[in-house]
Amino acid sequence: MVFSEHLFLLVFLPVCLAGFHLLRHIGLYRGSALWLVVFSFIFYGYWNLAYLAILIISIFVNYLLGLYLYRAKQSFMSLLAMLSGVVFNLGLIFYFKYAGFLLYDVAQVSELEWLAREILLPIGISFFTFQQVAYIVDCRAGRTYEPSLINYMLFISCFPQLIAGPVVNHKYVGSQYEALTREGQINQTIIKFGLILFVIGLAKKVLLADTIGRGVDPMFDATLQGGEVGFWQAWFMVSAYRVQLYFDFSGYSDMAIGLAALFGFRLPINFNSPYKSKSIIELWGRWHMTLSRFVRDYVYIPLGGSRHGKAVQLRNIFIGMFLIGIWHGAAWTFVWYALAMASAVCFNHMVRIFWPAFTAWNTLFARAFKQTLTLMFYFGTGALFRAENMDSANAILYGLFGFGHGQALAFPIIEPLFLIFCIIALCITLYTPNSLQITRYTEDLSKSWPNEEESAAAVKPKGYGYVEPISLHLEKYRLTYFICGLLVAICIAAGWQPAIFIYFNF
């Protein structure tokens, strides 16, 4: 079930919301949390009941392990138990996501070709296993603990973030889920903003991302057997695809935060205008932010972080970025994509170390130049990220450098209106406030949403997760809700075409 499907918008979400708030209205607060768990299981089981069984088994194993680790002393046995839990969780990812690729494509064991075909990858397995890896590590360290099975099931399976993220840390949502099981009113303002943010995300996904995707997919399909791709054709393909990916992922991120708000809690920011970045480091700091934080906290820092000199730090950065790259899929295209991204981020760090004048160069021309370099590299690597095999990737990469060779490929004609549509969409990513700014969102639970504290005298905090609020106050106008209803109706009307879901590899 995809957030933009008719079944989700017209049946699942209304019934889930109505039951949840009715149970809270009559005082069954723990029942409302259980209701949300049950509907999250229904949401996940809709894809495949076998997936649901894997999810439930994983939840119970990690819940019991967390109970033991939090209560056990810091001993060899608790360390062994934690490591066993990490191996269990990563083993699920390894088997379902990488076993077929490693045995057939890497080891060249042709007798196991069937394995690559037969293993079905459970949707979102990386998200819920990463959350549980972090949870059991934090339990042993005494940083967090969840005694309630209902709350733990909600933490892992809550459907707004289950299939496309964000990767949620229990320390962030645990207290919020506990509050749902106690008596109290849900902030109605949060619900209003949740509705607005969900509709913005839905429109991004259906009207922008899916429209571009249906235009560029046939172009990538034409390259499956290799061949000659023209220079401008190649750059249009990768640029349009990266714009599609931007609106798809940012749309899902908006919908996740919006859906969570409809039930009265907040999720962390996962996407914050990455195409406005002036370096590849900044771009990755603003793209899939919770995944980057997970790798930082549970890979980069345990490896030593920046504590043992620049060479070791660069090694740790390379390992972390390579893991982020290969996380996106099990294929040679993703291996090369991971190597390219890890190398680029390390090179960017080396420039900061050995050429500080370039980093400090901050004129208008410098910012435009750095942004252009960043986007050209990132868009160009879209050939590896989107291509279904190396023949396709190589054909596009050769075209990007004007070295196209082989038989000329017959591409679908790029309609002028579609070209203009893609250019406008790109301009939106570069020059307009993002949806979190418009809705004045803050993930800081110590501050209220909407975030009203910004003023001329306010000091902007550092970090890529900072959202500068734009004081439009859309929630005050009836026209806002009329437009929201109109956008939902348009998105439903556009649903005669199959919903596009690009996160099957995750």
Side-chain angles (χ1 to χ4, degrees), residues 95-416:
Y95 175 74
F96 287 107
K97 194 168 184 176
Y98 299 105
F101 167 67
L102 291 174
L103 291 173
Y104 178 64
D105 282 21
V106 177
Q108 295 292 305
V109 183
S110 57
E111 294 81 3
L112 295 176
E113 179 182 3
W114 62 272
L115 187 62
R117 297 194 308 265
E118 294 297 325
I119 296 178
L120 297 177
L121 178 64
I123 300 297
I125 188 170
S126 295
F127 294 109
F128 67 76
T129 50
F130 281 3
Q131 287 184 193
Q132 297 189 105
V133 166
Y135 175 74
I136 61 174
V137 171
D138 288 346
C139 278
R140 184 174 185 269
R143 289 189 289 262
T144 194
Y145 168 59
E146 182 51 75
S148 167
L149 178 59
I150 292 177
N151 287 359
Y152 185 78
M153 289 190 292
L154 188 58
F155 160 55
I156 299 302
S157 68
C158 191
F159 73 87
Q161 49 84 30
L162 181 57
I163 62 172
V167 178
V168 179
N169 194 292
H170 181 264
K171 291 180 291 184
Y172 183 82
V173 295
S175 60
Q176 297 187 78
Y177 291 153
E178 176 62 26
L180 289 181
T181 64
R182 299 195 302 266
E183 182 176 356
Q185 295 296 318
I186 293 176
N187 188 329
Q188 298 300 310
T189 302
I190 289 181
I191 294 178
K192 290 180 181 179
F193 278 96
L195 172 64
I196 295 170
L197 198 52
F198 175 79
V199 173
I200 292 174
L202 180 66
K204 285 182 183 179
K205 162 67 178 166
V206 175
L207 304 182
L208 295 174
D210 287 0
T211 300
I212 296 173
R214 293 188 179 96
V216 299
D217 283 351
M219 300 179 191
F220 282 95
D221 291 343
T223 67
L224 288 176
Q225 304 304 319
E228 181 177 356
V229 181
F231 178 80
W232 295 112
Q233 183 78 50
W235 276 106
F236 175 79
M237 290 169 61
V238 296
S239 300
Y241 171 68
R242 283 302 199 183
V243 174
Q244 175 202 355
L245 192 62
Y246 178 101
F247 284 110
D248 201 287
F249 191 32
S250 66
Y252 262 104
S253 298
D254 289 346
M255 286 189 280
I257 293 175
L259 286 169
L262 294 178
F263 294 96
F265 60 93
R266 284 187 246 177
L267 291 176
I269 295 170
N270 208 25
F271 199 91
N272 191 12
S273 294
Y275 290 177
K276 297 177 183 178
S277 302
K278 308 303 186 295
S279 70
I280 196 67
I281 293 174
E282 182 184 356
L283 189 146
W284 274 107
R286 296 179 178 276
W287 184 291
H288 212 323
M289 298 162 66
T290 57
L291 176 62
S292 297
R293 291 172 192 165
F294 173 85
V295 172
R296 179 198 65 195
D297 294 341
Y298 300 98
V299 177
Y300 173 76
I301 292 177
L303 285 174
S306 60
R307 298 189 299 273
H308 305 292
K310 295 299 183 182
V312 174
Q313 180 186 13
L314 288 173
R315 180 204 67 183
N316 297 339
I317 291 170
F318 186 91
I319 292 172
M321 285 306 305
F322 181 82
L323 291 176
I324 289 175
I326 199 66
W327 170 83
H328 289 89
W332 284 112
T333 51
F334 289 110
V335 173
W336 288 107
Y337 179 77
L339 288 171
M341 283 299 170
S343 300
V345 171
C346 287
F347 178 77
N348 196 168
H349 276 281
M350 292 176 67
V351 169
R352 290 185 173 184
I353 295 170
F354 297 109
W355 195 6
F358 183 81
T359 304
W361 187 32
N362 197 36
T363 64
L364 180 61
F365 174 78
R367 293 194 296 272
F369 177 71
K370 293 177 181 180
Q371 184 177 14
T372 301
L373 282 181
T374 300
L375 291 182
M376 285 183 67
F377 174 79
Y378 188 73
F379 283 15
T381 57
L384 292 166
F385 193 88
R386 172 60 179 81
E388 295 184 26
N389 57 42
M390 285 305 300
D391 287 336
S392 174
N394 287 331
I396 301 167
L397 288 171
Y398 280 123
L400 292 175
F401 290 97
F403 300 144
H405 65 280
Q407 182 179 357
L409 299 176
F411 282 99
I413 297 174
I414 301 175
E415 298 291 341

